[in-house]
Amino acid sequence: CDAPAARPAELSLADEARTGRLYPGDGKLPLHRLFDMLPDGVPVSLEAPVGGFAQLSPGERLRIAGERTLAFFAQRRERRTELASVAR
């Protein structure tokens, strides 16, 4: 998951953990840099309890999560291509 740069003041730590997360690429965590450090082929999973979408159906939440996650990994592929060309 991703997260804002700072915990919203109105959320406790428990509330943030349950509802205050964001989809990959929607927040301020350095996810690309973290993924740069992982070896290729490491399995990853998505856990992103995004409270802002709680009113949506499970299917709609899944669709949004999938779109955002696929977009993040598309950015990762572009970033890796750019980093590889700079390293040459």
Side-chain angles (χ1 to χ4, degrees), residues 57-76:
S57 71
E60 187 65 10
R61 290 194 312 262
L62 178 61
R63 183 190 64 75
I64 294 168
E67 286 176 357
R68 304 276 174 90
T69 302
L70 290 172
F72 172 79
F73 282 104
Q75 290 174 348
R76 290 263 335 120

Side-chain angles (χ1 to χ4, degrees), residues 1-86:
C1 69
D2 210 334
R7 178 173 46 91
E10 70 276 5
L11 292 180
S12 69
L13 286 176
D15 288 337
E16 180 193 20
R18 287 187 208 109
T19 64
R21 304 306 174 153
L22 301 171
Y23 296 121
D26 287 355
K28 298 296 182 186
L29 297 180
L31 294 181
H32 286 291
R33 290 198 321 244
L34 292 171
F35 273 91
D36 287 345
M37 293 181 222
L38 294 174
D40 290 339
V42 172
V44 297
S45 63
L46 174 66
E47 179 181 334
V50 180
F53 295 119
Q55 77 285 1
L56 300 176
S57 71
E60 187 65 10
R61 290 194 312 262
L62 178 61
R63 183 190 64 75
I64 294 168
E67 286 176 357
R68 304 276 174 90
T69 302
L70 290 172
F72 172 79
F73 282 104
Q75 290 174 348
R76 290 263 335 120
R77 283 189 296 277
E78 290 174 20
R79 179 182 170 94
R80 291 188 71 168
T81 301
E82 290 170 7
L83 290 175
S85 66
V86 169

